[in-house]
Amino acid sequence: NESGAIVDVPANIARIDYSNGSPAILVEPQRTNLLFPSDIATTQVKAVTAVQYTLSFYGTGSVILSGAYSGTLNGTGANNRVTLSFTPTAGNLTLTVSGSVANWQLEAGINATSLIKTVSGSVTRNADVISNTNASTLIGQTEGTIFIDYNKILANDSIRNIISINDGSTKNLIEIWDGVSAGTLGRIVYIYFANSLAKATGFGQSTVSPSGRYKICLTYIITPSLVNFKIFINGVKLDDRNFTYTAFSNPLTRINIGNRNGTGVGHGGHYLDFILKTKLTDAQAIQLTTL
């Protein structure tokens, strides 16, 4: 929180995270902390598979990994979180603790997520799914602007949705993603589906992008003759394309932050998101997205 303390947030309440100094709504995929209790670490043996895991903890002690993987993670301070991502062989992983190790977590995933507290067994935190399901009057059906001020965490394991406006299905939608497919994972892209047809896919960030803050603005106009999309990231217009027109078979009624109707849950912090029913000019979009 704002004071730097780790706090619990009840279900169905937005988690406002201050890890990067500014408040952001935290969006994370489902994860499970395999270690318990989480508050004070003790030497343990855990069965693992041959997928990527991430170990994290606070403190000045160390955790030595042996068996299915060999390595050491050393703490750097009581208020500092250290992490180690690794891929073990399938089998038993021994985690030997020495010194001060607190709030530790072992999760299957490419990076550490926020602390999942445990006491007497492993605990799973559900994915963050943020949606407005009755938003047709807020969405520009033929013209609009989507803006996201986003703390990106590199998504190199699967598609992670940043924002989606859709009709509650996969038939009609406009979306911004983080990561798309093998070889292009981590890119920021946009897509336009109309009546189940993928009419537009454009790249706003053409290289696999690191974690960090991104201000993204997508403008669009949909007419009976063509569709135009422009994407601006951190003060630069990176794409301006026209596509063949295909009408939405249903109006767009739903806004999803960090997911598409519960799937493709993103991983990052949202400082500010908004949509407009009008298209910003290029100059306005560049000014808006400049860091």
Side-chain angles (χ1 to χ4, degrees):
N1 63 13
E2 192 171 7
S3 300
I6 299 174
V7 295
D8 294 315
V9 179
N12 298 317
I13 300 295
R15 296 189 293 155
I16 309 300
D17 180 63
Y18 286 82
S19 296
N20 292 295
S22 300
I25 294 178
L26 191 60
V27 176
E28 295 181 311
Q30 179 175 297
R31 290 288 179 87
T32 299
N33 186 358
L34 302 174
L35 302 175
F36 54 90
S38 59
D39 57 347
I40 300 176
T42 58
T43 296
Q44 299 183 24
V45 178
K46 295 297 176 183
V48 294
T49 59
V51 300
Q52 195 165 7
Y53 289 80
T54 298
L55 173 69
S56 58
F57 69 83
Y58 294 80
T60 56
S62 65
V63 178
I64 299 174
L65 294 83
S66 58
Y69 180 83
S70 296
T72 301
L73 181 60
N74 294 309
T76 59
N79 297 316
N80 299 334
R81 192 185 200 192
V82 292
T83 66
L84 172 66
S85 296
F86 61 96
T87 302
T89 58
N92 289 325
L93 177 68
T94 299
L95 301 100
T96 303
V97 177
S98 63
S100 174
V101 174
N103 290 326
W104 71 330
Q105 185 157 294
L106 178 65
E107 55 193 305
I110 64 172
N111 58 288
T113 61
S114 59
L115 177 65
I116 304 169
K117 292 184 178 181
T118 63
V119 178
S120 58
S122 61
V123 172
T124 298
R125 180 191 58 235
N126 291 331
D128 294 295
V129 177
I130 304 171
S131 301
N132 182 333
T133 60
N134 188 25
S136 59
T137 60
L138 303 176
I139 298 171
Q141 304 294 327
T142 59
E143 174 184 345
T145 299
I146 301 171
F147 174 80
I148 308 102
D149 186 350
Y150 180 61
N151 177 41
K152 172 177 162 48
I153 296 176
L154 182 61
N156 63 2
D157 57 346
S158 64
I159 291 171
R160 300 297 184 189
N161 203 294
I162 299 176
I163 192 168
S164 173
I165 55 177
N166 58 71
D167 67 348
S169 73
T170 59
K171 293 182 178 180
N172 301 286
L173 54 85
I174 300 172
E175 293 181 334
I176 301 174
W177 290 345
D178 180 6
V180 273
S181 59
T184 57
L185 292 167
R187 296 183 180 185
I188 295 172
V189 303
Y190 62 88
I191 191 165
Y192 157 57
F193 262 69
N195 200 18
S196 298
L197 298 175
K199 298 305 299 183
T201 300
F203 291 93
Q205 188 76 20
S206 60
T207 58
V208 176
S209 45
S211 59
R213 191 165 186 169
Y214 287 80
K215 291 186 177 181
I216 308 166
C217 182
L218 181 69
T219 65
Y220 61 92
I221 292 181
I222 304 170
T223 73
S225 57
L226 62 84
V227 178
N228 175 262
F229 280 90
K230 298 179 183 180
I231 191 166
F232 305 79
I233 300 179
N234 293 353
V236 178
K237 181 169 72 172
L238 294 174
D239 209 358
D240 182 348
R241 300 194 195 189
N242 294 325
F243 298 91
T244 304
Y245 169 76
T246 297
F248 292 129
S249 56
N250 296 308
L252 306 180
T253 59
R254 186 176 184 125
I255 304 170
N256 299 114
I257 304 299
N259 72 97
R260 179 206 283 174
N261 304 327
T263 64
V265 174
H267 193 176
H270 290 250
Y271 297 106
L272 174 66
D273 298 350
F274 66 77
I275 63 173
L276 302 174
K277 296 173 72 174
T278 56
K279 174 183 174 293
L280 293 182
T281 67
D282 289 9
Q284 289 171 325
I286 288 171
Q287 182 180 16
L288 184 65
T289 57
T290 299
L291 289 173

